[in-house]
Amino acid sequence: MARKVLIIGGSGQIGQAAARALAAAGWAVTAAQKRPEALPAELVRAGVSSVRLDREEAGALVRLVYGGFDAVIDTVAYDDRHARQLLEVEGDVGAFVVISSASVYRDQEGRTLDEAAQTGFPQFPVPIGEDQPTTEAG
């Protein structure tokens, strides 16, 4: 039986690339986004299914994930509300991959990409690990 993955933001650039690669590797891929019809025909032909998900709708992610996924890839986790949504479904998910913008990180001197014009470009390790300091909320 194929492993199941849910990609939140499946019609975006990162979501499409992940869906393409995982479908080619034999995963059963479900792409979730506000407009399911936005999934490119190429991915539909590759067997990727598309479902509607509005993160602002209370309980929407819980209903979608019910029954379990081997993995959830979240390409649109923007804030603490989205993190709480993922925590609500962790019992039904084998593993999470949460992709964030490099803009949330700061280097050892406090420099960020968003402020590079004023402070200079930050120096980040490659790849950026989970222990990299982040900016203050807001």
Side-chain angles (χ1 to χ4, degrees):
M1 187 160 141
R3 293 176 290 177
K4 294 175 19 179
V5 61
L6 173 67
I7 303 174
I8 301 171
S11 63
Q13 285 184 316
I14 294 169
Q16 286 184 44
R20 189 175 304 108
L22 289 165
W27 285 71
V29 180
T30 301
Q33 55 274 324
K34 283 186 180 181
R35 293 182 24 250
E37 68 278 3
L39 194 68
E42 164 204 356
L43 293 178
V44 174
R45 285 191 300 274
V48 175
S49 63
S50 185
V51 297
R52 182 183 181 284
L53 175 65
D54 183 346
R55 297 292 284 275
E56 303 307 314
E57 184 182 316
L61 186 61
V62 170
R63 288 188 300 278
L64 180 58
V65 172
Y66 180 78
F69 280 89
D70 296 295
V72 169
I73 300 172
D74 191 345
T75 70
V76 292
Y78 292 124
D79 57 32
D80 59 339
R81 292 175 301 124
H82 295 142
R84 283 192 295 276
Q85 289 172 346
L86 295 176
L87 290 172
E88 287 179 330
V89 299
E90 69 180 325
D92 286 322
V93 175
F96 287 101
V97 176
V98 182
I99 300 169
S100 64
S101 164
S103 292
V104 302
Y105 297 105
R106 63 176 174 81
D107 68 6
Q108 298 301 327
E109 295 180 27
R111 297 177 296 194
T112 68
L113 286 173
D114 287 349
E115 299 162 341
Q118 295 84 26
T119 63
F121 281 95
Q123 299 297 309
F124 294 128
V126 177
I128 297 174
E130 290 184 27
D131 58 346
Q132 185 67 33
T134 58
T135 60
E136 295 297 320

